[in-house]
Amino acid sequence: MLNTPERATSPATAARDLPYSDGDVELHGRFFWDETRDGPRPGIFLIHGGAGLDDHACDQARRYAELGYAVLACDMFGAGVRGDRERTMATIMAMRDDPGHLVRRAQAGLDALTGCPEAGPGRAAVGFCFGGMAALTLAREGADLAGAVSVHGTLATSRPAETGAVKAKILVCHGAADPHVPMNDVVAFTEEMNRADADWRLTVYGRAQHGFTHRNAVPGSGGVAYDRPTDERSFAAIRTFLADALS
């Protein structure tokens, strides 16, 4: 395991469990906010990676709560999936192959975020790995978002965005050495966004592999590796992007 120090967190950041549902599927998110800030603030819908709602997703949610946002680290899987590799992969593949299903599941979380008294007008989605794919799917399907951010996420899609459908501004943070998302997928994504006439931007980080924000990634594990400079640079880029999209 990488021997990386824990990131300092603000004592003002509070959290609570936030149960919600998608039809008969019970979901359990985690909501984060800064207790020292008065009044409602823009909401961030933070979408976990393939491991489900884990420590990485919660740590990322705290980062954005410290910036002053109301953040829901959502649950896209439901009970009994996380930790079961077979069920996890089946759930991910089902959502990948049926964007409508993915959007319905995400919309349940967006509705839960909207219902939090700390969350005011303006919402953006920020996703990691699987969550990056989910954030882009929401944007492609015309979800009511000010911004959508993919961090080391899948860029390929079975249902490309139609011209004029994308309402959200888009930011993609991609590692140039990511073996899971090759550069031809990056080129295809840029062509898709141009055809859709979307407001998009993409930053490619040299030497960064897949999962570059995962502090405890095992080096050499299937092309997944933490990269501190890229983690910090991408967070700075996202911070600037969100300030613009949610202003």
Side-chain angles (χ1 to χ4, degrees):
M1 303 290 286
L2 285 178
N3 183 20
T4 55
E6 292 297 319
R7 187 181 63 81
T9 59
S10 168
T13 303
R16 66 173 180 265
D17 291 334
L18 184 62
Y20 60 101
S21 63
D22 173 23
D24 59 358
V25 179
E26 295 184 356
L27 303 164
H28 296 85
R30 187 86 171 147
F31 182 74
F32 297 82
W33 76 102
D34 183 343
E35 291 185 304
T36 66
R37 296 177 184 256
D38 295 327
R41 68 294 310 261
I44 300 296
F45 184 62
L46 192 132
I47 314 173
H48 56 73
L53 180 51
D54 58 3
D55 290 344
H56 173 265
C58 289
D59 185 56
Q60 294 296 326
R62 289 187 191 94
R63 284 178 114 176
Y64 293 99
E66 289 168 7
L67 296 179
Y69 297 110
V71 187
L72 174 60
C74 72
D75 174 12
M76 292 290 286
F77 292 168
V81 175
R82 183 185 167 202
D84 183 325
R85 178 170 176 76
E86 185 174 339
R87 290 193 65 186
T88 295
M89 293 307 299
T91 300
I92 291 173
M93 293 302 103
M95 291 188 184
R96 182 200 66 182
D97 295 340
D98 184 355
H101 172 39
L102 187 154
V103 170
R104 288 191 300 272
R105 179 61 53 84
Q107 188 61 54
L110 286 166
D111 291 344
L113 172 60
T114 300
C116 293
E118 297 86 355
R123 301 181 302 181
V126 179
F128 301 81
C129 301
F130 158 78
M133 177 191 73
L136 292 178
T137 300
L138 284 168
R140 286 173 168 123
E141 296 295 311
D144 185 18
L145 295 169
V149 181
S150 169
V151 187
H152 45 75
T154 299
L155 302 180
T157 179
S158 61
R159 195 151 77 190
E162 296 183 359
T163 303
V166 181
K167 301 175 184 176
K169 296 180 180 179
I170 291 176
L171 170 65
V172 170
C173 298
H174 176 69
D178 186 340
H180 302 285
V181 185
M183 290 305 294
N184 58 343
D185 284 0
V186 176
V187 172
F189 172 78
T190 65
E191 293 173 346
E192 176 199 357
M193 290 296 105
N194 284 337
R195 286 194 302 270
D197 194 28
D199 182 344
W200 66 278
R201 65 197 76 173
L202 181 148
T203 301
V204 178
Y205 297 93
R207 300 184 296 183
Q209 299 183 53
H210 192 69
F212 53 75
T213 65
H214 286 263
R215 298 174 64 84
N216 292 320
V218 179
S221 177
V224 179
Y226 178 65
D227 187 79
R228 184 189 297 275
T230 303
D231 182 17
E232 294 174 351
R233 291 166 184 162
S234 61
F235 180 64
I238 297 167
R239 181 173 62 228
T240 300
F241 171 82
L242 291 174
D244 172 58
L246 293 168
S247 61

